Amino acid sequence: MRAAAAAGGDDAAPKKKKSSAQGLIKTANPNAANPNAKHMKASELGEGGPAPELTRREREEIEKQRAAAAYAKRHAEGKTDEFKTDMERLKAAKARREAVAATQSKDAEDAARQKALAEAEASMAKTSFFEADVGPPEPADLPKLDKRKVKKMKPTELKEELKLRGLDTQGNAKTLLARVLEHA
């Protein structure tokens, strides 16, 4: 037999027989390893055929991207709750800035008033009582007073304003207020 195999020109090594029932019975097991089969990805499959179905994760990822794009568009148009809260926060910040600016301007006015009071006291200190003019200073030199601001002043502030104008500083808060309003 060996001679017959050699005469046939078959140089291949003789196949080894399987010693179990596998060699005798041929089965169509889809899970059996096929040595000729090659693993292929879906992208490597022929493009002439129908497009492969997307997996659940891929579909979810695409849907997530679409939802994010739609939200960004609505946000740009000002239709989202986040946009509305951002705008409210911005308005509040602007209001705070305006309040700070108002307090700074009020502080600047108070500083100017204090400076004018200090200058008035300094000028009064330079001249003696007998040399000083008894009349009030000229109204052009004094800062204008708003009726609302005057009513909010405390008695010490009212006395300072009265000193600036050369008026009497004696009395309770009501009389000081009335005197400042009368000469303001």
Side-chain angles (χ1 to χ4, degrees):
M1 288 203 196
R2 285 186 191 175
D10 193 74
D11 293 341
K15 288 187 179 180
K16 189 176 183 183
K17 288 187 177 181
K18 294 186 179 178
S19 62
S20 67
Q22 277 183 332
L24 299 174
I25 304 170
K26 293 188 177 185
T27 60
N29 185 355
N31 296 324
N34 187 354
N36 298 331
K38 182 177 156 187
H39 289 292
M40 295 179 72
K41 295 182 181 176
S43 61
E44 294 174 354
L45 289 176
E47 298 187 11
E53 230 180 274
L54 297 175
T55 64
R56 178 184 54 84
R57 286 186 183 162
E58 291 171 338
R59 285 192 309 267
E60 287 175 355
E61 183 64 30
I62 291 171
E63 184 59 33
K64 189 177 177 182
Q65 290 172 355
R66 285 183 188 155
Y71 182 80
K73 183 179 178 185
R74 284 193 327 251
H75 187 74
E77 293 172 355
K79 295 180 181 178
T80 61
D81 292 335
E82 182 182 5
F83 179 82
K84 292 173 185 174
T85 56
D86 288 346
M87 289 298 111
E88 290 172 7
R89 214 175 309 133
L90 183 63
K91 286 179 185 177
K94 285 181 181 178
R96 281 193 306 269
R97 278 189 232 120
E98 290 173 358
V100 167
T103 56
Q104 288 176 348
S105 66
K106 182 183 177 221
D107 291 344
E109 288 176 7
D110 290 343
R113 186 173 287 122
Q114 291 294 333
K115 185 178 178 182
L117 177 63
E119 289 174 0
E121 288 178 355
S123 67
M124 291 177 117
K126 288 181 183 176
T127 59
S128 70
F129 177 73
F130 297 106
E131 297 172 2
D133 292 334
V134 181
E138 296 181 24
D141 298 339
L142 300 174
K144 296 282 184 178
L145 293 176
D146 184 27
K147 188 175 182 180
R148 290 183 197 153
K149 289 182 181 179
V150 170
K151 287 186 177 183
K152 290 182 182 178
M153 286 183 177
K154 295 181 180 176
T156 55
E157 295 169 335
L158 292 170
K159 286 182 181 182
E160 290 173 2
E161 291 297 328
L162 289 169
K163 280 183 186 178
L164 279 176
R165 288 163 171 68
L167 300 172
D168 184 26
T169 59
Q170 299 297 318
N172 62 14
K174 287 184 181 180
T175 58
L176 295 174
L177 179 68
R179 202 172 299 136
V180 169
L181 289 175
E182 180 182 328
H183 295 284

Coordinates of all heavy atoms in Angstrom, one line a residue, residues 14 17 32 86 98-99 133 141 152 155 164:
P14 N 0.9 11.4 5.5 CA -0.4 10.7 5.7 C -1.2 11.3 6.9 O -0.6 11.7 7.9 CB 0.0 9.3 6.0 CG 1.4 9.4 6.5 CD 2.0 10.5 5.8
K17 N -5.3 9.5 11.8 CA -6.7 9.1 12.1 C -7.0 9.6 13.5 O -6.2 9.5 14.4 CB -6.9 7.6 12.0 CG -6.9 7.2 10.5 CD -7.2 5.7 10.5 CE -7.3 5.2 9.1 NZ -7.7 3.8 9.0
A32 N -18.3 24.5 16.3 CA -17.0 23.9 16.1 C -16.0 24.8 15.4 O -16.4 25.6 14.5 CB -17.1 22.6 15.4
D86 N -29.6 81.5 33.8 CA -28.4 82.3 33.5 C -28.7 83.7 33.3 O -28.0 84.6 33.8 CB -27.7 81.7 32.3 CG -27.0 80.4 32.5 OD1 -26.9 80.0 33.7 OD2 -26.6 79.7 31.5
E98 N -24.6 97.9 39.9 CA -25.2 99.2 40.0 C -25.3 99.7 41.4 O -25.1 100.9 41.7 CB -26.6 99.2 39.3 CG -26.5 99.0 37.8 CD -27.8 98.9 37.1 OE1 -28.9 98.9 37.9 OE2 -27.9 98.8 35.9
A99 N -25.7 98.8 42.3 CA -25.8 99.2 43.7 C -24.4 99.6 44.3 O -24.3 100.6 45.1 CB -26.4 98.0 44.6
D133 N -16.6 137.4 59.5 CA -17.9 137.9 59.1 C -18.9 136.9 59.7 O -18.8 135.7 59.7 CB -18.0 137.9 57.6 CG -17.1 138.9 57.0 OD1 -16.8 139.9 57.6 OD2 -16.7 138.7 55.8
D141 N -20.9 128.2 46.9 CA -19.8 127.3 47.4 C -20.4 126.0 48.0 O -19.6 125.0 48.1 CB -19.0 128.0 48.4 CG -18.3 129.3 47.9 OD1 -18.2 129.3 46.6 OD2 -17.9 130.1 48.6
K152 N -33.0 111.6 55.5 CA -32.3 110.4 56.0 C -31.1 110.7 56.8 O -30.6 109.7 57.4 CB -31.9 109.6 54.8 CG -33.1 109.0 54.0 CD -32.6 108.2 52.8 CE -33.7 107.6 52.1 NZ -33.3 106.8 50.9
P155 N -28.6 113.2 63.2 CA -28.4 114.6 63.8 C -27.0 115.1 63.6 O -26.8 116.3 63.4 CB -28.8 114.4 65.2 CG -29.8 113.3 65.2 CD -29.4 112.4 64.1
L164 N -21.6 124.1 58.0 CA -21.2 124.5 56.7 C -21.9 125.8 56.2 O -21.3 126.7 55.6 CB -21.4 123.5 55.6 CG -20.4 122.3 55.5 CD1 -20.9 121.3 54.5 CD2 -19.1 122.8 55.1

